[in-house]
C-alpha cells in the first residue's frame, strides 16, 4: 500500500461461488499486524450480520489504484448481490463506491444501480 504499510489477505471460508478473506495491515515484512477495517459509506464498521461479516468476499486488489473491491454473489452467475470498493488513504481504507442488485434479473453488474459513489 505504501513504503511502510503492507496488506495481507487470509482465506477464511469458501462456498460454491463465494470465498471470504480477512485482511491485515502490517509494517514492512509483516511486522506489527493489525486488522484492516473497511467502513461503509455511512461510516459504520462492517460487522457480523453484514454480507461476509467483517471479511471481504471474492476480493480483488488493484495495486495501480490501491483499491480493493468485494463482490458477494447471491447466485453463481453473479447477476445479484453487492459490489463495494475501498481506496487506501494515509488514514486507512475509505469506501468509494457501492452498487447493489437485490433481485436476480440476469443483468450484468455494470448495469446495477449505484447506491454510493465518492467524487475523485
Amino acid at each position: 500500500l505504501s513504503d511502510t504499510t503492507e496488506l495481507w489477505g487470509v482465506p477464511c471460508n469458501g462456498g460454491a461461488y463465494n470465498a471470504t478473506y480477512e485482511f491485515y495491515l502490517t509494517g514492512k515484512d509483516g511486522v506489527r499486524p493489525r486488522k484492516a477495517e473497511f467502513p461503509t459509506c455511512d461510516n459504520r464498521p462492517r460487522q457480523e450480520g453484514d454480507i461476509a461479516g467483517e471479511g471481504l468476499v471474492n476480493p480483488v486488489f488493484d495495486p495501480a489504484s490501491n483499491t480493493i473491491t468485494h463482490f458477494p454473489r447471491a447466485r453463481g452467475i453473479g447477476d445479484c448481490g453487492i459490489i463495494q470498493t475501498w481506496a487506501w488513504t494515509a488514514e486507512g481504507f475509505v469506501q468509494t463506491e457501492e452498487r447493489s442488485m437485490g433481485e436476480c434479473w440476469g443483468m450484468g453488474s455494470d448495469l446495477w444501480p449505484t447506491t454510493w459513489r465518492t467524487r475523485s
Side-chain angles (χ1 to χ4, degrees):
L1 297 173
S2 72
D3 290 340
T4 59
T5 306
E6 294 180 357
L7 178 67
W8 294 71
V10 179
C12 294
N13 194 359
Y17 42 82
N18 287 318
T20 304
Y21 287 70
E22 295 288 340
F23 284 88
Y24 296 87
L25 301 171
T26 71
K28 281 225 171 261
D29 300 321
V31 299
R32 296 179 315 281
R34 61 199 182 279
K35 196 164 192 167
E37 294 183 23
F38 299 95
T40 59
C41 54
D42 59 4
N43 226 14
R44 82 179 156 77
R46 296 179 68 248
Q47 55 194 318
E48 203 59 48
D50 289 347
I51 297 172
E54 294 179 2
L56 299 184
V57 178
N58 305 321
V60 175
F61 178 72
D62 178 6
S65 62
N66 264 358
T67 59
I68 191 164
T69 299
H70 95 134
F71 180 10
R73 291 163 177 81
R75 289 198 314 182
I77 63 171
D79 65 335
C80 48
I82 189 168
I83 298 173
Q84 295 171 304
T85 301
W86 292 267
W88 176 253
T89 70
E91 287 82 42
F93 284 100
V94 294
Q95 188 174 9
T96 59
E97 185 179 19
E98 178 178 286
R99 289 180 283 144
S100 177
M101 178 56 73
E103 297 186 26
C104 303
W105 290 353
M107 287 192 301
S109 60
D110 57 327
L111 300 173
W112 295 4
T114 298
T115 53
W116 174 263
R117 182 181 308 152
T118 59
R119 293 183 185 177
S120 297

